Amino acid sequence: MTLRIPLLSPDPHAPFPPAACALRQPDGLLAMGGDLHPRRLLNAYRHGIFPWYSAGEPILWWSPDPRLVFRTDGVRLSSRFRRTLRRSGWQIRADTAFDAVIAACAASPRRGQHGTWITPAMRAAYAALHRLGHAHSVEVYDGERLVGGIYGVAIGRMFFGESMFSAESGGSKAALAGLAHLLHGWGWPLIDAQVESPHLLTLGAQRMPRARFLAEIDRLCAGAAEPAPWRDRVGVLPVSVLAGTASGS
């Protein structure tokens, strides 16, 4: 059977098809083509759509149903890991190593995947969003060595997570918990985690029907503040504070 997938206009200002038109199989495939221009990317995220494709493929745009999300007060860390955090000298910072974080995410092996979907074009596109103040990274440092991180796109009071990595055991979990801690303190209730995985579910991610997700982000993205770097806003946060803020198991 041939799938009929809408082809996007070359104009980065052109609208996307409604997310409700996405395919059931493969879940969430909505459109193809277009480009990764910052305006198109921001428009996509505002409407619950994200790019996900492999090298050699056309750009594919997705909006799965249900959507996986984290409540910023609902990241779950094991009791053992929280004890480790209490004794740790690691630190959380933001927007101090965006390029290094996305490069590490691209290089991290993923179970069941060959290669990476974070292609050079994707890296360049999100680096451009970062320079414009829309894309951000949260880093975990051991001294001055980067041991974990996460990056994504912020619009209004909504954070759309893209990928995370660990260079040391627990680095990505600390980055996720650190991001959630910061966002919860700012009054941002959700982190988009896009596609379900067993690992994310163990960390407290929840399934949300797409219609509800779209309604939530429409509200949270409204009245977006002027984009700006997070480096000075976050400063340096000891990971030990996360031991008391993340949910336990």
Side-chain angles (χ1 to χ4, degrees), residues 118-132:
I118 307 175
T119 63
M122 289 280 275
R123 287 173 61 175
Y126 286 88
L129 281 181
H130 176 63
R131 290 192 296 271
L132 293 170

Side-chain angles (χ1 to χ4, degrees), residues 16-200:
F16 284 86
C21 296
L23 297 178
R24 282 291 180 186
Q25 200 60 240
D27 180 27
L29 181 57
L30 178 67
M32 63 185 291
D35 57 23
L36 298 174
H37 187 281
R39 187 173 294 275
R40 193 189 303 266
L41 283 171
L42 292 173
N43 186 36
Y45 284 107
R46 284 181 178 275
H47 292 90
I49 302 162
F50 58 87
W52 186 25
Y53 65 103
S54 298
E57 293 181 344
I59 301 172
L60 302 177
W61 300 89
W62 302 78
S63 185
D65 186 16
R67 192 68 161 239
L68 205 68
V69 300
F70 284 96
R71 298 285 178 186
T72 56
D73 61 353
V75 173
R76 187 184 306 132
L77 302 177
S78 69
S79 298
R80 180 178 180 182
F81 187 59
R82 285 185 289 128
R83 287 195 297 272
T84 299
L85 291 178
R86 288 190 186 98
R87 301 189 300 267
S88 177
W90 288 358
Q91 296 178 332
I92 300 289
R93 306 175 199 171
D95 285 350
T96 64
F98 184 88
D99 290 341
V101 168
I102 194 170
C105 289
S108 294
R110 311 287 176 182
R111 184 177 298 177
Q113 295 184 19
H114 302 284
T116 179
W117 55 270
I118 307 175
T119 63
M122 289 280 275
R123 287 173 61 175
Y126 286 88
L129 281 181
H130 176 63
R131 290 192 296 271
L132 293 170
H134 297 289
H136 303 279
S137 59
V138 169
E139 305 98 18
V140 183
Y141 283 93
D142 181 1
E144 293 304 312
R145 188 167 70 93
L146 190 63
V147 297
I150 187 170
Y151 78 95
V153 175
I155 304 176
R157 293 191 300 122
M158 183 67 202
F159 190 87
F160 300 90
E162 277 295 316
S163 189
M164 56 186 181
F165 84 97
S166 288
E168 293 286 346
S169 178
S172 62
K173 288 190 289 186
L176 173 63
L179 171 65
H181 173 78
L182 294 168
L183 297 181
H184 184 63
W186 299 343
W188 299 30
L190 292 178
I191 299 170
D192 175 29
Q194 296 183 346
V195 179
E196 180 177 327
S197 77
H199 176 60
L200 295 179

